[in-house]
Amino acid sequence: MEGKVGGPASILTRIGGIFTKTRDWVLSRSGLVEFVEETEKKKVPKHALNPMFCLGGVTLVALILLGLTGLFLDSYYEPSAAEFTPNQSRAAHSIETIVDTVPFGAYVKGVHGWSANIMGITILLHTLRVFITGSYKNPREFTWMSGVLLLIFTFTFITTGYVLVDDARSEAIVETFSNLINGIQNLPLIGGALDWLSAWVNDTFIGSSITGEGVLVRAHWIHTTTLPLITVALLVAHFYLIRKHGISGPL
Amino acid sequence: MTEEPEEKHEEGRQFLPNHLVDEVGVVFLITGIVLVVASLLKPEQAGLPHIFFAGALEMMSAVAPWFATVVLSFLIIFLFVLPFVDRSEERHPMKRKVVVLIILAAIIMWIAFTILGF
Ligand code: HEM
């Protein structure tokens, strides 16, 4: 519809003009012109519009929410197993403070917890989709392998996150992990030769021979420093590879 | 080096702006769902380790721990090297029966232990 001068349509045209000019300016100054031109040519294949193909994206949304809320939570969290009261550690107490006194603390902690559960579920479903459509095959082997590493590290995130809460559930999880590691020593034939491995993992991450607070300090370090760095690096690789190979064709 | 297999091409949907707008919509929708869920339920309820860990816990107590270690390590290594185990160009699940059966067995085992452990 061609509007009269000063009519609503012409205002829209002008706003549109301002938008286009701003966009062109940002693109030329940031050097992103080629990237956008290339993206403009991209088409999303019909079969990939199926919701099964959006599970990777949902996983990413959950991960971003986890990062943002995690930054907030970590500014209040104290990774210490020392007693605050006889039946509460300083760690558990710092979480109680986040929930009870920090403004929006309970809410942010809720978003962190729920996003973690959602991510755990959607990453499994994403893996299942990729497996069912056979999308790990030539040429996407590296995309799949970076994915498997992301899967391992996501569950390490979830496990260490539960440990940080420092309640009965954390103990159950540490015990399970410890049993799994001890399982190595009891392996038939090779177990005896590997007992240094389970001893080292137990001492470093769980046991008390290296520091008195092994579990919490290590879990906190892994959860907030090591894993985020590794995960971001793997995500960059994952997305670079997806863009390079495109989404796999229909079955 | 093996050649990349030919892939069928079909009419697609323009990425910019139509698809992107929908994607952003979905992102907001999901974020909204998480925010609403989080505001309706208490944070303590967000800890549902049972969903993910009940199976592993149950398995550890049902079988010898070293056996659980072997099974879980096997699954992880199997997933990691899957593209090199299943090297055919067939992508349809019915034409990859062996790997599909292995994964199906793992899923059934996991569900079974989870139900037992709840
Ligand atoms: C943090 C976790 C992850 C994120 C954010 C993520 C994200 C994505 C996204 C956005 C896509 C595009 C297509 C789609 O969404 O289905 C994708 C594709 C892919 N992902 Fe992931 N992913 C993750 C974990 C995994 C895992 C655990 C695996 C496998 C074990 C995996 C293997 C793949 C493969 C092979 C493709 C290419 C699929 C195709 O071309 O059809 N990813 N990923």
Side-chain angles (χ1 to χ4, degrees):
Chain A
M1 186 181 77
E2 282 297 310
K4 286 178 249 132
V5 179
S10 107
I11 294 176
L12 279 185
T13 317
R14 264 206 233 166
I15 295 178
I18 296 173
F19 177 78
T20 313
K21 271 192 195 160
T22 316
R23 191 192 76 151
D24 289 349
W25 184 82
V26 171
L27 288 183
S28 86
R29 295 305 190 274
S30 57
L32 285 175
V33 183
E34 277 149 38
F35 180 78
V36 170
E37 274 172 359
E38 208 188 296
T39 311
E40 263 168 349
K41 279 189 231 129
K42 290 239 162 171
K43 295 224 163 146
V44 183
K46 257 200 212 107
H47 73 277
L49 297 172
N50 183 309
M52 286 246 294
F53 283 75
C54 105
L55 290 161
V58 179
T59 310
L60 182 67
V61 174
L63 186 65
I64 292 170
L65 284 173
L66 281 163
L68 294 175
T69 49
L71 278 176
F72 174 93
L73 294 173
D74 202 42
S75 65
Y76 295 96
Y77 181 72
E78 193 186 342
S80 164
E83 272 186 11
F84 180 74
T85 63
N87 44 22
Q88 196 183 39
S89 66
R90 297 194 69 88
H93 175 71
S94 69
I95 290 178
E96 202 176 277
T97 312
I98 293 172
V99 173
D100 291 343
T101 44
V102 175
F104 302 107
Y107 188 55
V108 176
K109 185 175 180 293
V111 174
H112 197 75
W114 284 109
S115 307
N117 282 322
I118 288 176
M119 185 174 172
I121 293 167
T122 56
I123 196 174
L124 288 175
L125 294 176
H126 174 58
T127 310
L128 196 61
R129 187 293 275 175
V130 174
F131 174 74
I132 290 171
T133 59
S135 307
Y136 50 84
K137 300 199 166 196
N138 178 10
R140 298 184 180 78
E141 293 94 334
F142 282 156
T143 321
W144 168 267
M145 289 163 92
S146 64
V148 174
L149 292 177
L150 280 167
L151 185 67
I152 296 170
F153 291 123
T154 298
F155 278 92
T156 318
F157 253 128
I158 296 180
T159 314
T160 50
Y162 278 129
V163 172
L164 294 184
V165 179
D166 202 23
D167 61 5
R169 219 165 35 201
S170 319
E171 270 166 41
I173 285 173
V174 173
E175 207 182 303
T176 310
F177 177 70
S178 176
N179 284 341
L180 263 178
I181 297 301
N182 287 331
I184 298 175
Q185 307 175 29
N186 303 328
L187 284 175
L189 305 177
I190 53 171
L194 287 176
D195 58 356
W196 62 271
L197 181 65
S198 54
W200 177 77
V201 176
N202 258 323
D203 279 356
T204 308
F205 294 98
I206 300 170
S208 51
S209 69
I210 295 184
T211 78
E213 301 194 333
V215 178
L216 272 186
V217 173
R218 297 304 195 288
H220 181 251
W221 166 68
I222 293 171
H223 192 85
T224 58
T225 308
T226 320
L227 286 178
L229 288 176
I230 298 177
T231 305
V232 168
L234 284 169
L235 276 179
V236 171
H238 203 64
F239 288 127
Y240 167 79
L241 289 165
I242 293 164
R243 195 168 159 112
K244 170 130 181 47
H245 296 302
I247 200 84
S248 57
L251 279 184
Chain B
M1 209 194 90
T2 42
E3 291 285 313
E4 282 186 22
E6 280 287 322
E7 278 183 353
K8 296 177 227 162
H9 286 286
E10 35 165 21
E11 241 333 274
R13 182 174 190 225
Q14 196 69 34
F15 181 76
L16 278 175
N18 318 26
H19 189 67
L20 185 66
V21 170
D22 284 3
E23 294 268 289
V24 171
V26 173
V27 167
F28 278 119
L29 187 70
I30 293 160
T31 312
I33 292 173
V34 179
L35 298 185
V36 169
V37 166
S39 68
L40 293 180
L41 299 165
K42 294 206 187 78
E44 304 87 75
Q45 290 174 291
L48 298 170
H50 280 88
I51 290 182
F52 302 119
F53 298 115
L57 279 163
E58 180 61 24
M59 193 172 164
M60 311 281 318
S61 58
V63 297
W66 68 263
F67 187 69
T69 311
V70 170
V71 172
L72 295 179
S73 318
F74 170 79
L75 275 178
I76 292 171
I77 295 169
F78 177 74
L79 276 185
F80 197 68
V81 298
L82 181 59
F84 310 104
V85 172
D86 176 19
R87 298 173 57 96
S88 72
E89 276 184 18
E90 291 296 350
R91 288 182 43 218
H92 198 283
M94 293 312 284
K95 293 180 181 153
R96 301 181 277 134
K97 292 208 172 84
V98 178
V99 284
V100 169
L101 276 178
I102 294 177
I103 295 295
L104 206 62
I107 295 174
I108 292 172
M109 182 189 78
W110 183 57
I111 293 177
F113 276 119
T114 306
I115 293 173
L116 284 175
F118 238 87

